[in-house]
Amino acid sequence: MADEISVVGGIDTHTDLHQAAVIDSIGRHLATERFETTPEGYRQLLDWLRSHGEVLAVGIEGTGAYGAEIARFLTANEVTVVEVDRPDRKARRDNGKSDPIDAYGAATAVLSGRAGGTLKTRNGIVEAIRALRVVRKSAVKARTQTINQIRTLIVTAPSEVRDKLRGLSARDLIDTLARSRPAGELDDPARAVKTALRRLARRYQALDEEIKEADKEIGPLVTKAALRLIALPGLGPETAGQLLTSAGDNPDRLRSEAAFAHLCGAAPVPASSGRTNRHRLNRGGDRQANNALHTIVLVRMKYDQRTRDYVARRTAEGMTKKDVIRCLRRFVAREIYRHLPHMIHTAKPLPQTA
């Protein structure tokens, strides 16, 4: 009977259809089936899995993208969900690539213990922060692109246009161009450049206003989610929001501060050889979280006396600036971990060196 055996599921996620597979407790392939990415499709998928036996766990590839909703649905129905990484290239070359193969591979990875990641929950205030930060980030990128386009047009503009704008600060430049009233025919290069610059300046202003509105929305949410975190020196709504987003609504999935440092790419990587004994910067992990740590370190190096004393001491010992920053990022990651919300901490007290 189906209810007398235990099974493990695997799901290869896509936009419109999810490919599901189920194996038994010794790894035998039992069945595979496709289901629509709709509420009814999710219910059918869960019923199908349970029809083969007791579901121990379900491995899902892409829980942060196409698999986000099915992961939420299964979790809400008390099914253990395990995050599965995409198979490496060697495995793809050896085993081939198809949706059923990937679904079976996800289930096998869970059964073997190769996949054991706890997925981020996306049903709390941190998910709200993440969604708002997506819009803000794209607006910042577009604003930077706009000012770069303005400066490029000025460089190649006729002298009568370029000379009037020379030496203006970015803010004065935008205000001047936005208030301009180009006259003449558009087939005149000078008039065309003035028109283009005016439109770009107004685009810059619109994006700047959008970013300010996003900051007004995100700031209170970050403070509400992690008041202790935002109070740390060197942190602001932007860096704290990124670190919260990287940790997720369930930061307790990170088993230790070392795991959090590894997630942020702040765990030191051994780079020793022969008589050389050293560590290097970690180029893995969540690069946005790593960038947030880097920003915090730079702010502390300038304004925090404790950090400035630490930099002076390690520099006097012969450590390079790059290695000092690497050590500081590790210290900051440890401190931030202890102030993440809803976290039960058992770590030792922080060293007072940074």
Side-chain angles (χ1 to χ4, degrees), residues 291-326:
N291 183 67
L293 292 180
H294 187 76
T295 301
I296 295 167
V297 166
L298 294 183
V299 172
R300 290 188 176 188
M301 288 173 68
K302 188 172 183 180
Y303 298 106
D304 182 53
Q305 187 59 47
R306 183 180 61 156
T307 303
R308 293 169 65 181
D309 293 342
Y310 175 82
V311 172
R313 177 167 63 84
R314 298 311 295 266
T315 302
E317 294 173 356
M319 184 175 285
T320 65
K321 183 178 180 180
K322 182 184 292 186
D323 284 336
V324 171
I325 291 176
R326 172 183 61 77

Side-chain angles (χ1 to χ4, degrees), residues 324-341:
V324 171
I325 291 176
R326 172 183 61 77
C327 292
L328 286 171
R329 281 209 293 252
R330 184 66 178 85
F331 289 142
V332 171
R334 181 182 295 117
E335 186 175 22
I336 287 172
Y337 173 83
R338 294 175 61 86
H339 289 81
L340 289 174

Side-chain angles (χ1 to χ4, degrees), residues 118-121 126 241-254 260 263-264 286 289 340-341 343:
T118 303
L119 73 157
K120 293 182 185 178
T121 57
V126 173
Q242 175 58 60
L243 293 168
L244 285 172
T245 300
S246 298
D249 277 301
N250 54 331
D252 50 306
R253 69 193 181 92
L254 302 169
F260 178 70
L263 171 68
C264 297
D286 186 330
L340 289 174
M343 180 72 70

Side-chain angles (χ1 to χ4, degrees), residues 6 16 128 135 146 160 207 278 304 347:
S6 299
D16 301 315
V135 181
T146 300
E160 62 180 280
L207 290 168
R278 60 180 293 270
D304 182 53

